[in-house]
Amino acid sequence: MTLFSEGFSWRALRLMSLVLAVLTTACAAPSWSAKLTRYQQWPAATSGDTYFIKSSPDKSSNLQYQSFADSVRASIGVTGLVEAADAKSARFVLQMDYGNPQEQSWVPQFADSFYGPSAWGIGRGYYAPNDGWGGGFFYSPNVVNVPVTVYKNYLNVIITDNQNSGAEVYRATAVSYSHSDNLDQQMPFLSQAIFDRFPGNNGQVIDIRYPISRD
């Protein structure tokens, strides 16, 4: 019994595998991911208490800061806190910091095979089936690390408690990476991640993943 029946070649099998891989990738739901690190000593029974987002003087009139603060307001609702008119009347004071510095990262890529970068559509190798002369073999090109520039999008949030002498009760940092300068698009997700399963555990580091709508 041969591996392939008459009329069906290993090339056809290879083509079918490629098509299946493309369809699987195309059907996979897109998602956004980040890493969340947080520390907390959150007091009990705070639902209905008030908070205030305190900005530094140089950012109080910054339109981008105001937009990002709105993202935080939209996400903080899961805590049960209610926004106060000012810092003095609020129990909790929230301060935030954000940015997206460029960093260099390394990603693995397949080097060109001896059949060229487009061999069999993806340039990832070549399989020779058993031809009766000792069995088949698979040639795979080397994998090389290629430098790429990425943006490290981050949001830091610190909450202090005025009823406890201004003690820090929550500190969280959400970090995501992107290949383009799109912090405005990242911020709603970063804000949501900051309060994901709030308040969580002290010293907790978790991976966050949210589906992205195709609409």
Side-chain angles (χ1 to χ4, degrees), residues 108-211:
Q109 286 189 3
F110 286 97
D112 291 347
S113 71
F114 58 79
Y115 280 93
S118 60
W120 310 119
I122 56 175
R124 292 191 175 182
Y126 168 76
Y127 178 77
N130 189 336
D131 57 3
W133 293 92
F137 68 90
F138 181 83
Y139 167 79
S140 178
N142 293 328
V143 175
V144 296
N145 289 323
V146 179
V148 295
T149 298
V150 297
Y151 289 85
K152 180 182 179 181
N153 309 288
Y154 71 87
L155 172 63
N156 298 324
V157 167
I158 298 174
I159 302 178
T160 55
D161 187 355
N162 283 336
Q163 289 186 11
N164 189 20
S165 303
E168 188 175 297
V169 292
Y170 189 72
R171 173 186 288 265
T173 301
V175 177
S176 67
Y177 289 89
S178 62
H179 292 289
S180 59
D181 184 3
N182 61 352
L183 184 58
D184 289 353
Q185 299 174 21
Q186 299 282 326
M187 190 54 61
F189 294 107
L190 291 170
S191 300
Q192 185 178 350
I194 287 289
F195 300 103
D196 193 291
R197 288 159 280 181
F198 180 89
N201 299 320
N202 189 39
Q204 186 177 38
V205 180
I206 59 176
D207 293 320
I208 303 290
R209 187 176 297 274
Y210 298 135

Side-chain angles (χ1 to χ4, degrees), residues 17-29 214:
S17 298
L18 290 176
V19 171
L20 180 61
V22 170
L23 290 176
T24 301
T25 302
C27 294
R214 295 180 183 271

